[in-house]
Amino acid sequence: MTDKTKRDMGDSETGGKADKSSTPKMQRRDFVTKGMMGIGAGLAGTQLIACGEKKNGAAQPPQTRSVSTTHSAAPESFHVPPGQLDDYYGFWSGGQSGEIRVVGVPSMRELKRIPVFNRCSASGWGGDDFSKALLGGKFSGDTHHVHLSYTHGTYDGRYVYVNDKAGARLARVRLDTFAVDHITFLPNSAGTHGIFPQRHKTGLVLCNSEFRLPMPNDGTAMEDELTYAAMHTAVDGETMEVKWQVMVEGNLDLCATDYEGNYSFATCYNSEGGAWLEDMMAADQDYLYVFHLANIEEAVKAGKTMTVGKSKVPVVDARGKNSPYVQRIPVPKSPHGVNVEPRGKYAIVAGKLSPTCSVVEIAKLADLFAGKLEPADCIVARPEVGLGPLHTCFDGKGFAYTSIFIDSMITKWDIAKAIEAHNGADVEPIVQKLDVHYQVGHINASMSETKDADGKWLIALCKFSKDRFLNVGPLHGENDQLIDISGDTMKLMHDGPTAPEPHDCVLVRLDLINPVKISPRTGPRFDLYNKWAKEDGVNLLRDNVVKRKGKHVRVYMTSMAPEFGTGEIKVKSGDIVQVILTNQDEVEDLSHGFCMTGHDVNFLVNPQDTNSMTFVAGEPGLYWFYCPWFCHALHLEMRGRMYVEA
Amino acid sequence: MTDKTKRDMGDSETGGKADKSSTPKMQRRDFVTKGMMGIGAGLAGTQLIACGEKKNGAAQPPQTRSVSTTHSAAPESFHVPPGQLDDYYGFWSGGQSGEIRVVGVPSMRELKRIPVFNRCSASGWGGDDFSKALLGGKFSGDTHHVHLSYTHGTYDGRYVYVNDKAGARLARVRLDTFAVDHITFLPNSAGTHGIFPQRHKTGLVLCNSEFRLPMPNDGTAMEDELTYAAMHTAVDGETMEVKWQVMVEGNLDLCATDYEGNYSFATCYNSEGGAWLEDMMAADQDYLYVFHLANIEEAVKAGKTMTVGKSKVPVVDARGKNSPYVQRIPVPKSPHGVNVEPRGKYAIVAGKLSPTCSVVEIAKLADLFAGKLEPADCIVARPEVGLGPLHTCFDGKGFAYTSIFIDSMITKWDIAKAIEAHNGADVEPIVQKLDVHYQVGHINASMSETKDADGKWLIALCKFSKDRFLNVGPLHGENDQLIDISGDTMKLMHDGPTAPEPHDCVLVRLDLINPVKISPRTGPRFDLYNKWAKEDGVNLLRDNVVKRKGKHVRVYMTSMAPEFGTGEIKVKSGDIVQVILTNQDEVEDLSHGFCMTGHDVNFLVNPQDTNSMTFVAGEPGLYWFYCPWFCHALHLEMRGRMYVEA
């Protein structure tokens, strides 16, 4: 199958579609009769958006948003005219770009790039003193999954969590400032892939390590893959501390939580424990791992744990067999996504190498852990959805939408009918199959991962774009497609090219997010600045002074358009210069920056914010510094001189 | 004015508009009578796009593009439906992001980010061996102006040039691969701002240094700004070598060339030579500098030059007074943009602190250099366009469009009527003033900077977006607005949020660009790879071998979805490991990458391309490497192990 799949994917003549002759069991794509198309347009005009009050966010003034400027067209119209606002905040994981993107939906306009694990020239992220300490001079990241913090089963507007597969890290973004405030390293982990926060409250964030490692991974025994293990790690969503880990034998892929705070789920596609492609695909069966959180926490509390390597995090050893901590539900080989539908009743496991989804009834899990059921008895349906099913999302009306990678399509199916069919009823659960372009990975729908799923829009994150956009050389963008799911049938509305490589996204109703417009001057960054200011007896918001200790020179500066508070800096070549700049402007959108020519120094300072960067003064000479953010008609004149003496 | 301007910009209640009471001479914004609106719709349906052949690009197969999939609606419809293509390639300078963006027009979809002076986590740019040598570990850039190479007055589809204001550099992007192939450092320069290539052929690229420096800038005399000077630098657009520099006393802002290859132009807004805001604005008059290229080259050839500092580049000293090399045409104080209209007859200088544009007749410049005219006699019109005019673009029908920063509007005016009015005729050159949102900087129109200006679309790069998009925290995006100029009046079509901070853009007809889909394996990068392969007796496209010399380990690898040619690498902690990966896949869009967990290593390898990165092997242990580009249904399984021994 490997060779065939590859040919299919690469063949632009056939639009990247699979050879149907090899998939005799598959439904035809035009399964839905033409007579069904277009039914249900009456549902389309309903507008669920409202201007709500902030729920659980960090302290900030309530934001007033004029309803009249909000886009309120029926879902069929995705165009948001000039001066109107989108209906949803989309949070996109940027994959190898290491960033998060904020995308307005339905317009599909990128509203912001949030640098996380990457170096951002525009903001200075990765080079400024605060983020440099967080990232340690590492500038490669691979963000995979973004999820917002929850309370009572829906988004509480406080935080976004995102993982780095390349560096085994979990980052958090504050949703008042849309900026990272914490990055946590996950010990004994490699290839951190699926993450999911608990949904009953801002509690744990569960993180799966996909690549199994020797435990400990200290170089003493490295080559026998049959001894490797993987970690399911719990991070406290409030403090960002690692609370505990559960060690298992199989690799852990995607992650989900239930709505009650009882369980977390992980797909395992390589229960063989292979390290080579053919070994990973050897067995016909893999698993959905179910973690029993209360039992695990009880074991941690009782000290029934170990530590691994240099880490002090308590580890529950759950390798090898089912236990009060982990149960393994068998599914066809190499599953990928696991998604819990909005009523919280079913977890749906996509088959990847099986053309099916396995539906697990969550209510049965208590009996499973009580030993009253066999793991396989928890599966209540297994509909055939297409070749290469990866992820499933929901509309809150009982339908599931599964992304089909090899077939390049989205399959809409009826969960209740799938269960009936599994029980022997002669019903057809498949509702529609819609072509997408091409090779879709993740999909998500508006509010799909909350109890408030509203069935308006679906996003298909296609991994290949091939011929869908103007050719821009050998590296093609991905294609984020916008699909209207408000009616009985899905409708493709828009092709959205994106920089590599969105892995996942969530769509959040605009009333649930309430950002500030002016820096609140709080959080770990300000703990740092306030500490320095106290040491030096400086008022950050007012003072323009230089504090020298030997070769270390702290330059405290202010800015107010179109001038810096300091126009001249005198240092010696080789001095370690730290510029700490506070933007005195209180006007929305009036950001400044500080760029020192010839020194690789450039950073952003938002209204009423402070930021800082440290550099070594170069060869003797004059170096101009300037504000690189167009802030004023006299912006070009906003500059000063650094004299570097021999 | 400073305080007032700032208040105006910051006041979102008034939509960022200037207080009209301070501008008694200004036209009312609703100057155009309603009776004029909507006239000329008959022009709108004309479709000028055609599939042309490649002109002067690097060797590559001609691209076939199906006309039927190309967007061909009338300009009023900017929506490009799924499966159809944009009509124009837009090239955007990304400002502080350090990148170039490729944007499809009219859909305003970002098709690609091209990393230039920044570190890109996704592609590895800045960290891979080739770009690391180009950038030297510096990851801050400030791209300001993008211009394509020309032949016979229009784009020849070969190269894009872009400057870095922060680091005084000029980069070049190949338009077959859409990737940087050269970066040139400009000596004795700071704040490199305006650049422009010659338009008669791929000749010189002229670069202005905005920040004046001591000459030489070696730390011996730094503080007397009256001794500073600036450089107008000529870079060979083919070899990317610096050919010569002209030293002048005033700072040099924007740049333009004529269509004949005779002149280059630079606005000078600080002829006072001030270093402080109030000094820079002291005089009521500044200049347009006109450089006579043949006279300069003759001086260089005759050795009438000097060198400055460590640089060996010949410098023509043209400080202080008009000469055969430079003539100074007086304009009202603090001009900004200079733009030459498509017939090549006039250079138009925007006033910034004067509400006017000064129109310079290029045909008069020969007499100016011959001593037959006074500089001021070259000005043939000076229309009043609004408060804070910055840049001007053209539609090829005789109209100019000037961006008005403080008034936040675009003013459309008639060049011929402005000249008539200047000569005393009672005609009104101003045609329309259109509000934009907000504080517009650069503007450009489709093909505006070529003889083929076609008057379809205009882009307004607004520096503030304020309330135009969902709030995403204190840092707001900019707003790139799309305006239809195909009719008699401008129409605002679309608000486009963008990451900071587009400075300029050009819109290029799609038939003029012919990228390749598969790596051509040519250019300076491949000179490097082929040198290594020859040293080691390796066939890059085939071999998977490890070459060790002491602590230096070269790992030659191949990839073909879904496997690397090498599954295991054995090294010792502290080894310097260089991974040289060649993608054997020949399928369009089938890019791979190489990510080494825990080592900050991630880079892209396009189909048939090679890329490499060097790192130090970390603590003893097992590290997985994987392909981070979703390339296949078994993409997750595409990985291998590096064993690091003590």
Side-chain angles (χ1 to χ4, degrees):
Chain A
M1 181 184 137
T2 302
D3 282 349
K4 202 201 81 46
T5 304
K6 186 175 150 206
R7 279 200 312 277
D8 292 339
M9 284 178 24
D11 187 354
S12 59
E13 296 306 308
T14 63
K17 293 160 192 172
D19 180 356
K20 296 301 181 295
S21 63
S22 67
T23 57
K25 293 182 191 173
M26 298 308 303
Q27 310 288 338
R28 288 188 60 236
R29 292 211 188 180
D30 52 356
F31 171 86
V32 176
T33 61
K34 287 196 167 44
M36 287 181 67
M37 304 296 277
I39 296 175
L43 288 173
T46 316
Q47 178 54 259
L48 295 187
I49 308 307
C51 284
E53 291 204 2
K54 186 165 179 54
K55 288 185 177 173
N56 275 315
Q60 58 188 45
Q63 187 189 35
T64 57
R65 184 180 284 122
S66 166
V67 172
S68 65
T69 61
T70 305
H71 174 257
S72 56
E76 283 83 356
S77 167
F78 77 95
H79 176 51
V80 179
Q84 293 190 22
L85 303 179
D86 278 296
D87 295 331
Y88 298 87
Y89 285 90
F91 294 89
W92 257 242
S93 79
Q96 310 93 308
S97 69
E99 68 190 16
I100 292 175
R101 296 171 200 160
V102 185
V103 175
V105 175
S107 75
M108 299 298 282
R109 296 175 296 185
E110 184 186 281
L111 302 175
K112 191 169 213 165
R113 305 176 188 176
I114 304 175
V116 184
F117 301 110
N118 59 318
R119 179 73 167 85
C120 172
S121 170
S123 63
W125 184 260
D128 65 73
D129 293 317
F130 173 70
S131 62
K132 193 171 183 178
L134 285 183
L135 296 180
K138 294 188 174 182
F139 302 138
S140 296
D142 191 7
T143 63
H144 265 248
H145 298 103
V146 286
H147 293 290
L148 275 64
S149 56
Y150 288 81
T151 299
H152 303 315
T154 197
Y155 298 127
D156 60 16
R158 300 177 69 202
Y159 302 117
V160 180
Y161 305 101
V162 67
N163 68 303
D164 170 30
K165 180 168 177 173
R169 294 173 290 182
L170 182 73
R172 185 174 76 181
V173 171
R174 285 170 61 157
L175 277 177
D176 57 348
T177 60
F178 277 59
V180 171
D181 73 341
H182 277 285
I183 293 180
T184 298
F185 176 74
L186 307 177
N188 298 307
S189 299
T192 300
H193 192 191
I195 66 162
F196 219 103
Q198 290 191 294
R199 296 195 232 210
H200 63 308
K201 65 169 187 176
T202 306
L204 301 173
V205 182
L206 289 311
C207 307
N208 284 341
S209 62
E210 183 183 338
F211 300 158
R212 300 155 63 251
L213 291 175
M215 298 289 176
N217 186 26
D218 57 7
T220 53
M222 295 187 281
E223 299 187 33
D224 181 4
E225 58 262 27
L226 297 177
T227 66
Y228 298 171
M231 292 291 189
H232 186 65
T233 302
V235 176
D236 186 311
E238 297 280 4
T239 65
M240 291 295 284
E241 287 172 8
V242 179
K243 303 296 283 184
W244 48 256
Q245 299 187 293
V246 176
M247 182 160 55
V248 292
E249 72 290 353
N251 70 188
L252 303 175
D253 194 15
L254 270 297
C255 187
T257 59
D258 67 352
Y259 275 76
E260 309 297 327
N262 297 325
Y263 308 108
S264 56
F265 305 100
T267 47
C268 168
Y269 67 81
N270 174 26
S271 56
E272 301 91 328
W276 299 90
L277 182 64
E278 54 273 27
D279 298 335
M280 297 187 203
M281 298 167 58
D284 279 338
Q285 180 176 281
D286 282 305
Y287 299 96
L288 178 72
Y289 283 36
V290 183
F291 296 87
H292 192 295
L293 301 178
N295 290 352
I296 292 164
E297 300 218 311
E298 196 175 302
V300 171
K301 203 170 173 183
K304 295 178 182 174
T305 57
M306 57 192 289
T307 61
V308 175
K310 295 174 184 170
S311 164
K312 292 189 167 55
V313 172
V315 175
V316 174
D317 186 353
R319 286 178 292 185
K321 62 180 194 302
N322 288 329
S323 70
Y325 313 122
V326 185
Q327 291 284 325
R328 294 155 179 82
I329 298 176
V331 293
K333 78 170 170 186
S334 296
H336 189 52
V338 51
N339 299 91
V340 175
E341 49 78 46
R343 290 168 301 171
K345 292 176 70 174
Y346 304 106
I348 291 167
V349 181
K352 193 168 82 173
L353 298 194
S354 157
T356 63
C357 285
S358 299
V359 180
V360 172
E361 185 173 348
I362 292 172
K364 291 185 185 289
L365 298 177
D367 281 351
L368 173 64
F369 276 95
K372 297 175 185 171
L373 279 180
E374 288 302 309
D377 296 338
C378 299
I379 292 175
V380 296
R382 186 164 284 155
E384 288 205 1
V385 291
L387 202 59
L390 294 186
H391 302 279
T392 303
C393 62
F394 310 97
D395 60 9
K397 305 166 196 164
F399 297 102
Y401 302 78
T402 300
S403 59
I404 312 292
F405 179 79
I406 298 173
D407 276 342
S408 285
M409 65 185 189
I410 310 296
T411 298
K412 176 179 179 177
W413 53 281
D414 183 317
I415 301 171
K417 285 188 179 167
I419 295 169
E420 289 172 39
H422 195 73
N423 289 332
D426 184 21
V427 293
E428 175 55 63
I430 307 298
V431 178
Q432 184 195 5
K433 294 180 175 182
L434 179 77
D435 283 355
V436 290
H437 314 85
Y438 305 96
Q439 269 66 46
V440 60
H442 272 273
I443 56 172
N444 226 326
S446 44
M447 297 294 289
S448 169
E449 308 208 82
T450 75
K451 66 179 175 57
D452 297 328
D454 62 10
K456 297 282 185 187
W457 298 106
L458 182 147
I459 306 290
L461 300 177
C462 298
K463 298 297 186 178
F464 288 67
S465 64
K466 295 181 181 172
D467 53 1
R468 302 292 282 190
F469 306 111
L470 290 180
N471 185 4
V472 288
L475 176 62
H476 293 36
E478 275 62 58
N479 186 4
D480 300 347
Q481 290 190 305
L482 176 74
I483 295 165
D484 177 359
I485 58 167
S486 65
D488 280 357
T489 56
M490 301 178 276
K491 292 176 195 163
L492 174 63
M493 303 298 286
H494 183 71
D495 277 23
T498 50
E501 176 178 347
H503 276 287
D504 197 5
C505 67
V506 296
L507 308 187
V508 181
R509 276 204 333 266
L510 63 84
D511 61 289
L512 297 174
I513 311 283
N514 289 287
V516 297
K517 297 175 180 177
I518 304 295
S519 169
R521 303 186 66 79
T522 61
R525 276 202 304 126
F526 279 89
D527 295 345
L528 200 65
Y529 308 142
N530 292 333
K531 174 174 162 283
W532 298 334
K534 192 175 175 187
E535 283 170 12
D536 289 326
V538 163
N539 181 329
L540 289 170
L541 280 162
R542 187 195 63 202
D543 293 345
N544 287 280
V545 292
V546 175
K547 299 287 181 175
R548 176 181 280 275
K549 286 177 191 164
K551 289 175 73 70
H552 291 73
V553 184
R554 278 193 188 148
V555 181
Y556 292 93
M557 290 174 63
T558 61
S559 64
M560 181 174 275
E563 287 189 275
F564 290 111
T566 300
E568 293 180 311
I569 301 171
K570 292 187 186 185
V571 297
K572 289 191 187 308
S573 182
D575 276 352
I576 298 159
V577 183
Q578 183 181 23
V579 173
I580 303 158
L581 179 61
T582 299
N583 181 350
Q584 294 178 317
D585 279 299
E586 296 181 80
V587 168
E588 179 183 4
D589 203 3
L590 215 167
S591 295
H592 292 298
F594 181 90
C595 181
M596 179 65 78
T597 56
H599 279 77
D600 196 31
V601 166
N602 184 27
F603 60 92
L604 161 73
V605 198
N606 288 318
Q608 288 286 301
D609 206 350
T610 298
N611 200 350
S612 72
M613 197 175 274
T614 303
F615 60 95
V616 177
E619 293 290 305
L622 162 65
Y623 300 89
W624 289 90
F625 57 89
Y626 68 99
C627 174
W629 297 75
F630 207 114
C631 56
H632 191 282
L634 294 170
H635 153 76
L636 285 179
E637 289 84 350
M638 185 167 172
R639 59 197 206 228
R641 288 174 285 180
M642 179 174 76
Y643 308 116
V644 178
E645 296 171 350
Chain B
M1 183 187 132
T2 302
D3 284 348
K4 202 201 80 43
T5 304
K6 185 177 153 206
R7 278 200 313 277
D8 293 340
M9 283 177 26
D11 187 354
S12 61
E13 297 305 309
T14 63
K17 294 159 191 172
D19 180 355
K20 298 299 183 297
S21 64
S22 68
T23 57
K25 294 181 189 172
M26 300 308 302
Q27 309 289 337
R28 287 188 63 234
R29 291 207 189 186
D30 53 354
F31 171 85
V32 177
T33 61
K34 290 200 166 42
M36 287 183 68
M37 305 293 278
I39 295 174
L43 289 173
T46 315
Q47 177 55 262
L48 296 186
I49 310 307
C51 284
E53 289 204 6
K54 186 166 178 53
K55 289 185 175 174
N56 274 316
Q60 58 189 44
Q63 186 189 34
T64 57
R65 185 182 283 122
S66 166
V67 173
S68 65
T69 61
T70 305
H71 175 257
S72 57
E76 283 84 355
S77 166
F78 76 95
H79 176 52
V80 178
Q84 292 191 23
L85 303 179
D86 278 294
D87 295 330
Y88 298 88
Y89 285 90
F91 294 89
W92 257 242
S93 78
Q96 310 93 307
S97 69
E99 69 191 17
I100 291 174
R101 297 172 198 157
V102 185
V103 175
V105 176
S107 75
M108 298 298 281
R109 297 175 297 185
E110 184 186 282
L111 301 175
K112 190 169 214 166
R113 306 177 187 174
I114 305 175
V116 184
F117 300 109
N118 59 317
R119 179 73 167 87
C120 172
S121 170
S123 63
W125 184 260
D128 64 74
D129 294 317
F130 173 71
S131 62
K132 193 171 183 177
L134 285 183
L135 296 179
K138 294 187 175 183
F139 302 138
S140 296
D142 191 8
T143 62
H144 266 247
H145 298 103
V146 286
H147 292 290
L148 274 64
S149 56
Y150 288 81
T151 300
H152 302 317
T154 196
Y155 299 128
D156 59 17
R158 300 177 68 202
Y159 301 117
V160 180
Y161 305 100
V162 67
N163 68 303
D164 171 30
K165 179 168 176 174
R169 293 174 289 183
L170 181 72
R172 185 174 77 180
V173 171
R174 285 170 61 155
L175 277 177
D176 56 349
T177 60
F178 277 59
V180 170
D181 73 341
H182 276 285
I183 294 181
T184 299
F185 176 75
L186 307 178
N188 299 307
S189 299
T192 301
H193 193 193
I195 66 162
F196 219 103
Q198 290 190 296
R199 295 195 233 211
H200 64 307
K201 65 169 186 175
T202 305
L204 302 174
V205 182
L206 289 312
C207 307
N208 284 340
S209 61
E210 182 182 339
F211 300 158
R212 300 156 62 251
L213 291 175
M215 298 288 176
N217 186 25
D218 57 6
T220 52
M222 296 187 280
E223 299 186 32
D224 181 5
E225 59 262 27
L226 297 178
T227 66
Y228 298 172
M231 292 292 189
H232 186 64
T233 302
V235 177
D236 186 311
E238 298 280 5
T239 66
M240 290 297 283
E241 287 171 9
V242 180
K243 302 296 283 185
W244 48 256
Q245 300 187 291
V246 176
M247 182 160 54
V248 291
E249 71 289 353
N251 69 190
L252 303 175
D253 194 16
L254 271 297
C255 187
T257 59
D258 66 351
Y259 276 76
E260 309 297 326
N262 296 324
Y263 307 107
S264 57
F265 304 100
T267 47
C268 167
Y269 67 81
N270 174 27
S271 56
E272 301 91 328
W276 300 89
L277 183 64
E278 55 273 25
D279 297 336
M280 297 186 202
M281 298 167 59
D284 279 339
Q285 180 176 280
D286 281 306
Y287 298 97
L288 177 73
Y289 283 34
V290 182
F291 296 87
H292 192 296
L293 301 177
N295 289 353
I296 293 164
E297 300 216 311
E298 194 175 301
V300 171
K301 202 170 175 184
K304 296 177 183 175
T305 56
M306 57 193 287
T307 61
V308 176
K310 296 173 183 171
S311 164
K312 292 189 167 56
V313 171
V315 175
V316 174
D317 186 353
R319 286 178 293 185
K321 61 180 195 300
N322 288 329
S323 71
Y325 313 122
V326 186
Q327 291 283 325
R328 294 156 179 83
I329 298 176
V331 293
K333 78 169 168 185
S334 296
H336 190 52
V338 53
N339 300 91
V340 174
E341 50 78 47
R343 290 168 300 170
K345 293 179 69 175
Y346 304 107
I348 292 167
V349 181
K352 192 168 84 171
L353 299 193
S354 157
T356 62
C357 284
S358 299
V359 180
V360 172
E361 185 173 348
I362 292 172
K364 293 183 184 290
L365 297 177
D367 282 352
L368 172 64
F369 276 94
K372 298 176 184 170
L373 278 180
E374 288 303 306
D377 296 337
C378 298
I379 292 176
V380 297
R382 186 164 283 155
E384 289 205 359
V385 290
L387 202 57
L390 295 186
H391 302 279
T392 303
C393 63
F394 309 97
D395 59 10
K397 305 166 195 164
F399 297 102
Y401 301 78
T402 300
S403 59
I404 312 292
F405 178 78
I406 298 173
D407 277 342
S408 285
M409 65 186 190
I410 310 296
T411 297
K412 176 178 179 177
W413 54 282
D414 184 316
I415 300 171
K417 284 188 179 168
I419 295 169
E420 289 173 37
H422 194 73
N423 289 332
D426 184 20
V427 294
E428 175 54 64
I430 306 299
V431 177
Q432 184 195 7
K433 294 180 175 182
L434 178 77
D435 283 353
V436 290
H437 312 86
Y438 305 96
Q439 267 67 46
V440 60
H442 272 273
I443 57 174
N444 227 326
S446 43
M447 297 294 289
S448 169
E449 309 207 83
T450 75
K451 67 179 176 55
D452 297 328
D454 62 11
K456 296 283 185 187
W457 298 107
L458 182 147
I459 307 290
L461 300 178
C462 298
K463 298 295 186 177
F464 287 66
S465 63
K466 295 181 180 173
D467 52 2
R468 302 292 283 189
F469 307 112
L470 290 180
N471 185 3
V472 287
L475 177 61
H476 293 35
E478 275 62 58
N479 186 4
D480 299 347
Q481 291 190 305
L482 176 74
I483 295 165
D484 177 0
I485 58 167
S486 64
D488 279 357
T489 57
M490 300 178 276
K491 292 175 195 163
L492 175 63
M493 302 300 284
H494 183 70
D495 276 23
T498 50
E501 177 177 348
H503 277 286
D504 197 4
C505 67
V506 296
L507 309 187
V508 181
R509 275 203 336 264
L510 64 83
D511 61 287
L512 298 174
I513 311 284
N514 289 288
V516 297
K517 297 176 180 178
I518 304 294
S519 169
R521 302 185 68 78
T522 59
R525 278 202 303 126
F526 279 89
D527 295 344
L528 200 63
Y529 308 142
N530 292 333
K531 175 174 162 283
W532 299 334
K534 192 175 176 188
E535 282 170 12
D536 290 325
V538 164
N539 180 330
L540 290 170
L541 279 162
R542 185 194 64 201
D543 294 344
N544 287 279
V545 292
V546 174
K547 300 286 181 175
R548 176 181 281 276
K549 285 178 191 160
K551 290 174 73 70
H552 291 72
V553 184
R554 278 193 188 148
V555 182
Y556 292 93
M557 290 174 64
T558 61
S559 64
M560 180 172 274
E563 287 188 275
F564 290 111
T566 300
E568 293 179 310
I569 302 170
K570 292 187 187 187
V571 297
K572 289 191 187 310
S573 181
D575 276 351
I576 299 159
V577 184
Q578 184 181 23
V579 173
I580 304 157
L581 178 61
T582 299
N583 181 350
Q584 294 178 318
D585 279 299
E586 297 182 80
V587 167
E588 178 184 6
D589 203 3
L590 215 167
S591 294
H592 293 298
F594 181 90
C595 180
M596 178 65 77
T597 56
H599 280 77
D600 196 33
V601 167
N602 184 28
F603 60 91
L604 161 74
V605 198
N606 288 318
Q608 289 286 301
D609 205 351
T610 298
N611 201 351
S612 72
M613 196 175 276
T614 302
F615 59 96
V616 177
E619 294 289 306
L622 162 65
Y623 299 89
W624 289 89
F625 57 87
Y626 68 99
C627 173
W629 298 75
F630 207 115
C631 57
H632 192 282
L634 294 171
H635 153 75
L636 286 179
E637 290 82 350
M638 185 168 172
R639 59 195 205 231
R641 288 175 285 181
M642 177 174 76
Y643 309 115
V644 178
E645 296 171 349

